[in-house]
Amino acid sequence: MLHDMDAVVVPGVSLSSLTPGAVATVVGVGSRSSVASALERRLMGLGFVSGEQIEVVTQARPGGDPFVVRVGTTTFALRRREVETVWVEIAPSLPDS
């Protein structure tokens, strides 16, 4: 089911479930509603779009706010409720050589 731009309900995991150091690929932004919210459109405008690589830099303890992520060369500090709407596929780990 497609929403505005890359706002989709997709398989994958929420960005909020990743731990610092994790690398993933954005597969969509969105919730279960049929129309992207202003927050979801803003995240897409900032570069959280399908195919972009994202890295979790750190998250504050306790509570996980802010959640610091890097998209390309830009670093963002986001609230947990904001990253909960970003859906990602986790990059496979490289085997040790």
Side-chain angles (χ1 to χ4, degrees):
M1 169 185 348
L2 291 178
H3 300 265
D4 297 339
M5 294 173 51
D6 288 315
V8 294
V9 177
V10 294
V13 297
S14 171
L15 177 57
S16 66
S17 67
L18 303 186
T19 57
V23 176
T25 301
V26 176
V27 293
V29 175
S31 61
R32 299 201 186 279
S33 68
S34 62
V35 177
S37 70
L39 167 63
E40 294 162 353
R41 288 189 306 272
R42 178 70 174 145
L43 289 170
M44 289 182 283
L46 290 171
F48 291 81
V49 295
S50 293
E52 283 296 321
Q53 184 173 319
I54 192 164
E55 176 187 1
V56 178
V57 178
T58 191
Q59 38 182 314
R61 296 285 182 214
D65 278 338
F67 202 94
V68 181
V69 298
R70 184 171 296 124
V71 177
T73 59
T74 306
T75 303
F76 298 94
L78 303 170
R79 294 179 187 96
R80 178 161 293 279
R81 70 175 181 85
E82 295 167 336
V83 296
E84 286 173 347
T85 66
V86 178
W87 299 95
V88 298
E89 289 181 348
I90 300 170
S93 299
L94 297 175
D96 293 334
S97 312

